[in-house]
Amino acid sequence: MHLTRRLLTAAAVTAVLTTALSTAPQADAASAPCASTWRAVQKVAVRRPTWNEGPVATTRSPLVRYLRRGERVRSCIVAVGHNSWSQYHECGGGSLWRVVPGGQVPSGCLRRA
């Protein structure tokens, strides 16, 4: 009985190690620098959340600058707003904001370049 249990444990450890070693190259790809490029579909405001708004911009957040139509930006992070102030109406509406250099932009206003 003990020999069977040891063999099953050894087989389980081998399976875990094999899985861990096979996913190691994927972990390197996940830590690669951001290369996701997006294009603005219209003129849109880049907003930065204030200290009391939390991590997600709102329609009342201060304006940093505008993205021109067709301007390309790099963004790999999406901020999800859960309150009514983080909802926007331009570009089809929603509460997903893409983090771009300088602030956040409604994700509906960006398309993959």
Side-chain angles (χ1 to χ4, degrees):
M1 187 73 166
H2 295 289
L3 180 61
T4 306
R5 192 175 295 163
R6 285 184 187 166
L7 288 175
L8 288 175
T9 304
V13 169
T14 304
V16 168
L17 287 175
T18 304
T19 305
L21 292 175
S22 67
T23 60
Q26 294 173 355
D28 292 338
S31 64
C34 175
S36 179
T37 309
W38 297 80
R39 181 183 47 84
V41 296
Q42 68 182 41
K43 180 180 174 183
V44 61
V46 177
R47 299 185 177 274
R48 176 170 286 173
T50 57
W51 64 271
N52 60 349
E53 289 180 334
V56 181
T58 66
T59 54
R60 292 185 174 188
S61 296
L63 182 97
V64 176
R65 69 182 191 102
Y66 283 100
L67 287 179
R68 296 180 311 273
R69 181 178 181 202
E71 186 175 345
R72 294 174 188 265
V73 290
R74 183 171 289 158
S75 174
C76 291
I77 301 173
V78 175
V80 180
H82 293 291
N83 60 14
S84 61
W85 288 111
S86 63
Q87 299 241 345
Y88 57 89
H89 300 289
E90 62 265 0
C91 306
S95 60
L96 297 177
W97 295 74
R98 294 220 56 104
V99 178
V100 299
Q104 298 175 9
V105 176
S107 67
C109 298
L110 297 176
R111 296 286 180 259
R112 235 196 240 265

